[in-house]
């Protein structure tokens, strides 16, 4: 990927007066680019010939369209001197070597803005638009409609019986809204920006390099790939996680879902995972939906209906595995703790196994488990124990006062086995800790519910 020219460009840039911030270089300075953004000039985006340049031009075009109109006042060129002939024709005006266009930079000339870089780094120019937040009216309306629609749907579902589940869900929804209104806007991680470019390349016709890039690329064919929309989707996924946590509680005591929600979200270590956008929220949403299906669906004795239910469970299991491959043991834990329905279990293993094989074939998923504990394992263990202390205390209390042992069949056994498997594994793969918070909270509440005398 032109590594040598990039290194040469770095040497040249040490000798020229450029302003640089957040990995992006500005010429003549950042104020010139801000003046372009603040002006009422129209613009036209012209990409380079490579797929990645056309893909990033799609992002730039949609981002600028939130504040400007299309027109001929300013040309916005995306690419570098090697794939965009207009950039090549104007580059001499900068006084920089041609290889400098391989670095992420914003160059402002007369009535022209150059957004340059290579396939390895052009996504860093997103940082130049970080302060630009102007959600399109259609996006804001869609977000608010989906948010309140989801809240009303879950409120109606949880209010159907005589329990207080609906009232507790209304309280949880209120906390969600307060959190949204007071929290800082989540930032894109460096890794997510690379996935964003890959997703945009997918929309432009290239194969994606990861499952999340494929999912994002499919979404971006109908939704503009701007930060505003990604952040809105991020918050909707958090609402999904919060809402389905009520379905991890026992059916007859659905109001205990508020405890599952509380024990999980009370942990700063868990909430901090939502302060950045890195794709993990999508996997966690798929995981908690799969857990909710396991906890609530009574699989039909009718083969076709049971097959459909199993297919839905497999889809959300595969979504979780696609984002975090370590969850591949989830179907095994399910079969071990729900052993009686042989046809359903075989179908679940077959569907999920086929899906994992396809994911491996397409993306080369790997677990990369280190052979020894990483140096950060002790620190992670301390933080996890501190942050999960309420759930651990609840679980220990329930076990201490339990009059009989746990039958290793059913939902409680499934959650216990998953917790036993993934909590130690999280020391090797810290990306599993958010899943462990959910498992431990759901398990603690179910153990606590087991102490309640039944009429």
């Amino acid at each position: 990927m032109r590594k040598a020219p990039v290194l040469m460009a770095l040497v040249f840039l040490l000798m020229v007066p450029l302003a640089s911030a957040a990995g992006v270089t500005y010429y003549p300075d950042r104020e010139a680019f801000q003046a372009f953004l603040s002006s009422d000039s129209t613009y036209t985006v012209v990409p380079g010939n490579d797929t990645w340049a056309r893909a990033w031009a799609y992002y730039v075009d949609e981002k600028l369209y939130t504040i400007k109109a299309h027109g001929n006042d300013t040309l916005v060129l995306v690419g570098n001197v090697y794939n965009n002939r207009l950039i090549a024709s104007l580059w001499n005006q900068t006084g920089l070597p041609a290889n400098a266009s391989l670095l992420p930079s914003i160059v402002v000339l007369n009535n022209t803005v150059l957004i340059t870089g290579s396939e390895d780094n052009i996504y860093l120019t997103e940082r130049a638009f970080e302060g630009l937040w102007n959600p399109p009216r259609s996006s804001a309306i869609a977000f608010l409609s989906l948010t309140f629609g989801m809240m009303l749907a879950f409120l109606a579902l949880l209010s159907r019986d005589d329990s207080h589940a609906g009232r507790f869900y209304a309280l949880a929804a209120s906390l969600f809204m307060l959190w949204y209104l007071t929290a800082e806007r989540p930032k894109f991680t460096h890794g997510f920006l690379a996935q964003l470019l890959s997703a945009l390349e997918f929309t432009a016709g290239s194969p994606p390099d990861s499952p999340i890039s494929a999912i994002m690329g499919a979404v971006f064919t109908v939704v503009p790939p701007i930060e505003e929309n990604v952040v809105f989707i991020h918050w909707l996924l958090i609402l999904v996680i919060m809402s389905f946590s009520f379905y991890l509680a026992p059916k007859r005591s659905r109001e205990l879902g508020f405890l599952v929600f509380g024990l999980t979200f009370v942990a700063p270590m868990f909430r901090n995972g939502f302060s950045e956008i890195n794709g993990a929220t999508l996997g966690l949403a798929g995981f908690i939906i799969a857990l909710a299906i396991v906890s609530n669906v009574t699989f039909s004795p009718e083969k076709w209906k049971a097959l459909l239910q199993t297919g839905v469970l497999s889809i959300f299991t595969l979504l979780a595995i696609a984002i975090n491959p370590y969850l591949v043991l989830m179907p095994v834990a399910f079969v071990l703790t729900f052993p009686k329905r042989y046809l359903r279990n075989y179908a679940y293993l077959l569907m999920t196994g086929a899906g994992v094989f396809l994911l491996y074939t397409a993306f080369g998923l790997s677990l990369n488990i280190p052979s020894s504990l990483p140096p950060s394992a002790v620190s992670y263990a301390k933080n996890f124990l501190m942050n999960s202390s309420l759930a651990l205390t609840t679980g220990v209390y329930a076990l201490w006062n339990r009059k009989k042992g746990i039958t290793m069949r059913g939902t409680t056994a499934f959650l216990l086995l998953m917790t036993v498997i993934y909590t130690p594994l999280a020391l090797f793969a810290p990306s599993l800790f958010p899943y462990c918070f959910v498992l431990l909270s759901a398990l603690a509440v179910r153990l606590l519910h087991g102490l309640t005398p039944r009429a």
Side-chain angles (χ1 to χ4, degrees), residues 33 75-79 81 86-88 90-91 94 105-109 112-116:
F33 181 61
L75 278 180
V76 179
L77 311 180
V78 180
V81 297
L86 291 177
I87 292 180
L90 296 171
W91 194 253
T94 66
S105 59
I106 306 292
V107 178
V108 180
L109 303 174
T112 308
V113 175
L114 283 57
I115 299 179
T116 71

Side-chain angles (χ1 to χ4, degrees), residues 14 16 24 46 63 76 156 177 202 209-210 257 263 267 272 325 352 368 400-401 410 416 444 448:
L14 291 175
V16 294
V24 182
V46 180
K63 187 64 177 176
V76 179
M177 291 303 300
F202 179 50
D209 60 7
S210 68
L263 290 175
N272 288 343
T352 310
N368 295 324
W400 184 266
N401 291 277
L416 176 60
L448 191 65

Side-chain angles (χ1 to χ4, degrees), residues 313-353:
L313 174 59
S314 295
I315 288 172
F316 286 105
T317 303
L318 284 171
L319 175 59
I321 293 173
I323 307 302
N324 196 317
Y326 295 100
L327 298 173
V328 72
L329 296 177
M330 182 176 175
V332 178
F334 177 83
V335 170
L336 290 175
T337 51
F338 293 90
K340 290 186 176 181
R341 296 284 183 86
Y342 297 106
L343 182 61
R344 176 202 62 193
N345 290 349
Y346 291 147
Y348 183 38
L349 288 175
L350 182 62
M351 291 178 185
T352 310

Side-chain angles (χ1 to χ4, degrees), residues 247-443:
Y247 284 87
L248 301 187
K251 290 182 181 180
R252 296 182 180 179
S253 301
R254 194 69 75 194
E255 66 275 5
L256 291 178
F258 187 76
L259 278 182
V260 179
F261 159 71
L263 290 175
T264 305
F265 280 81
V266 75
M269 186 178 177
F270 181 80
R271 294 196 312 275
N272 288 343
F274 299 123
S275 63
E276 294 181 328
I277 296 179
N278 53 21
T281 308
L282 177 61
L284 194 59
F287 177 72
I288 203 166
I289 293 174
L291 289 184
I293 294 173
V294 171
S295 303
N296 292 273
V297 174
T298 302
F299 288 85
S300 173
E302 299 178 25
K303 291 183 180 180
W304 291 110
K305 190 174 181 180
L307 191 63
L308 178 62
Q309 293 170 328
T310 306
V312 173
L313 174 59
S314 295
I315 288 172
F316 286 105
T317 303
L318 284 171
L319 175 59
I321 293 173
I323 307 302
N324 196 317
Y326 295 100
L327 298 173
V328 72
L329 296 177
M330 182 176 175
V332 178
F334 177 83
V335 170
L336 290 175
T337 51
F338 293 90
K340 290 186 176 181
R341 296 284 183 86
Y342 297 106
L343 182 61
R344 176 202 62 193
N345 290 349
Y346 291 147
Y348 183 38
L349 288 175
L350 182 62
M351 291 178 185
T352 310
V356 170
F357 176 76
L358 291 175
L359 288 173
Y360 177 79
T361 303
F363 304 108
L365 298 177
S366 60
L367 299 181
N368 295 324
I369 301 177
S371 57
S372 59
L373 279 176
S376 59
V378 175
S379 175
Y380 275 119
K382 289 180 179 178
N383 289 336
F384 177 73
L385 289 174
M386 180 66 68
N387 282 262
S388 62
S389 57
L390 283 177
L392 285 170
T393 302
T394 303
V396 170
Y397 169 81
L399 284 173
W400 184 266
N401 291 277
R402 195 178 184 91
K403 294 182 179 179
K404 56 181 180 180
I406 300 173
T407 303
M408 286 309 294
R409 289 183 180 181
T411 304
T412 302
F414 171 72
L415 293 172
L416 176 60
L417 183 57
M418 289 281 287
T419 303
V420 169
I421 291 173
Y422 282 109
T423 301
L425 188 58
L427 296 176
F428 296 89
S431 63
L432 287 170
F433 276 117
Y435 302 89
C436 294
F437 279 112
V438 173
L439 289 170
L440 187 58
S441 299
L443 175 62

